[in-house]
Amino acid sequence: YIQKCARTVFAQTLKEIEYVFVDDGSTDNGIDLLQQEIRKFPERFSDISIIRHERNRGISAARQTAFDRATGEYILAMDSDDYIVPEMLEQLYNEALVSGADIVFCDFVSETENKSIRKNFSFSPSKNKLIEVAIRGESALWNKLFRRNLLTSYNIKTLDGIDHGDDLAVLVKLLFHAEKFSYLPVPFYHYIESNCQSTTKAFKPKHIDDRINLVNEVVEYLKKEEKTYQYEILLMKALRKAKILLLTNGEKQYIGLYNEINPYIFKLKVTTYTRIILILSNISIPSILKIYLWLLKKSRQIASKF
């Protein structure tokens, strides 16, 4: 995937681009393939940095290394198995200049082995709504061009050791401090769903701890204005609890997770499936909860809604 990714970023119509590649202790020939592509774009040589981690430290650490090296006015954080259309950065950057936006959003295309599906970003000029959208799952950084000084001015860092859903904490903090947002309804970014080796594909028990740590981090950050973001905090806890129960088949230790959401179960805008999980965990009937979760997991289409 790295060759196509690199080829599309080097072929951007925007000329003033700084490229930072982080080799996170790889053991394959990815860097050799990257170098092959670099040689095809000699005009980009002086703008390219390749940083190597001596050991694999995970996606959050790799992204932080890239952020620390970056010097540009805006940042786009790509995944190395995806690709972008030639005019993406120029159009997003021009929109940022014209609108004065701290963050510019765009649509993307989800690429599977059999089809390409356009995904429209749920944009709103409201900061609360954008934080809610991120909590509901549209938290990837790769379709968002954001001002670098948001990272430096507010000391926003990735969460070292978090390998699943790590974008959420960074994005919520960016949104929290950003003042102006803009959106181009164009699918510039192509997200590769068919990469079975992607860190988002294989479930690991550690992902449960990652989810809980992410909730703790975001809640602590939003507590600075807890009344303003009360709904978003409750929603995040509800969605993450339902997902954790689904992934763990209703393990007892997670049934009492975030009990403070129980009085609000019927006030939160969640799917019927999520609400039923929360109700069953609230009334403490583990056997019925397990049966319901089993039925949900039997239906891949339903399970994918979480």
Side-chain angles (χ1 to χ4, degrees):
Y1 297 98
I2 186 62
Q3 283 184 288
K4 186 170 186 177
C5 173
R7 192 178 312 130
T8 64
V9 298
F10 294 147
Q12 289 294 297
T13 56
L14 182 66
K15 301 306 178 185
E16 297 79 17
I17 303 175
E18 172 188 45
Y19 299 93
V20 182
F21 294 91
V22 180
D23 174 10
D24 191 31
S26 65
T27 56
D28 58 16
N29 66 334
I31 291 299
D32 293 335
L33 296 174
L34 173 60
Q35 295 285 9
Q36 289 179 29
E37 291 304 316
I38 290 174
R39 286 193 286 271
K40 299 176 185 177
F41 296 88
E43 72 278 9
R44 298 289 196 185
F45 282 2
S46 61
D47 302 316
I48 298 171
S49 298
I50 300 176
I51 307 169
R52 176 172 174 79
H53 288 171
E54 291 305 315
R55 59 179 179 81
N56 180 263
R57 293 168 52 193
I59 188 170
S60 293
R63 188 167 284 142
Q64 187 60 52
T65 294
F67 289 168
D68 291 342
R69 173 62 66 90
T71 63
E73 184 181 3
Y74 285 85
I75 288 178
L76 181 80
M78 280 190 67
D79 289 346
S80 59
D81 46 0
D82 300 335
Y83 66 96
I84 56 179
V85 300
E87 66 273 14
M88 177 176 183
L89 292 178
E90 182 173 18
Q91 292 209 23
L92 291 180
Y93 181 59
N94 285 342
E95 176 62 23
L97 293 180
V98 170
S99 66
D102 298 306
I103 306 176
V104 183
F105 306 79
C106 70
D107 298 335
F108 68 98
V109 177
S110 172
E111 301 280 5
T112 66
E113 292 181 356
N114 302 318
K115 56 186 176 181
S116 300
I117 304 173
R118 175 172 174 162
K119 302 283 188 176
N120 297 329
F121 180 72
S122 306
F123 179 73
S124 168
S126 163
K127 184 177 299 192
N128 284 71
K129 184 62 178 177
L130 287 172
I131 289 177
E132 179 185 335
V133 166
I135 287 169
R136 288 188 182 278
E138 296 184 58
S139 59
L141 292 176
W142 35 252
N143 65 331
K144 302 161 182 72
L145 187 76
F146 58 90
R147 203 182 292 274
R148 187 175 65 87
N149 69 10
L150 289 172
L151 296 178
T152 55
S153 297
Y154 300 102
N155 196 31
I156 297 174
K157 304 287 186 181
T158 64
L159 300 184
D160 199 3
I162 300 293
D163 298 323
H164 191 81
D166 59 300
D167 287 0
L168 178 63
V170 174
L171 180 57
V172 168
K173 294 173 185 178
L174 292 172
L175 293 168
F176 184 88
H177 293 291
E179 295 298 330
K180 191 168 185 180
F181 312 99
S182 191
Y183 166 61
L184 291 181
V186 184
F188 291 123
Y189 195 93
H190 287 254
Y191 173 60
I192 306 300
E193 293 265 22
S194 54
N195 180 7
C196 61
Q197 296 180 341
S198 169
T199 57
T200 63
K201 297 295 184 291
F203 171 72
K204 301 175 184 177
K206 179 182 176 296
H207 292 167
I208 302 300
D209 291 334
D210 283 355
R211 281 182 167 86
I212 293 173
N213 290 334
L214 277 170
V215 170
N216 293 340
E217 178 73 14
V218 173
V219 168
E220 187 62 31
Y221 212 82
L222 294 181
K223 271 187 175 180
K224 297 173 182 178
E225 294 186 30
E226 188 170 2
K227 291 183 179 179
T228 302
Y229 298 105
Q230 182 188 35
Y231 179 83
E232 289 76 16
I233 291 172
L234 291 169
L235 178 67
M236 179 171 55
K237 290 180 177 179
L239 294 175
R240 294 312 182 272
K241 178 176 182 175
K243 182 68 173 181
I244 289 170
L245 288 171
L246 184 68
L247 290 172
T248 62
N249 300 311
E251 282 188 18
K252 184 178 180 180
Q253 69 188 93
Y254 301 116
I255 289 178
L257 190 65
Y258 311 132
N259 275 339
E260 61 271 24
I261 69 176
N262 291 340
Y264 303 94
I265 289 175
F266 290 97
K267 297 179 181 179
L268 298 172
K269 294 179 181 179
V270 296
T271 65
T272 301
Y273 312 114
T274 297
R275 202 182 314 278
I276 293 174
I277 292 175
L278 297 174
I279 292 170
L280 291 176
S281 65
N282 185 26
I283 61 179
S284 299
I285 308 180
S287 58
I288 297 179
L289 175 62
K290 286 181 177 293
I291 292 171
Y292 182 70
L293 292 171
W294 179 81
L295 290 171
L296 282 182
K297 295 182 82 169
K298 290 288 286 185
S299 171
R300 291 185 178 182
Q301 183 177 2
I302 293 176
S304 68
K305 295 179 182 294
F306 285 85

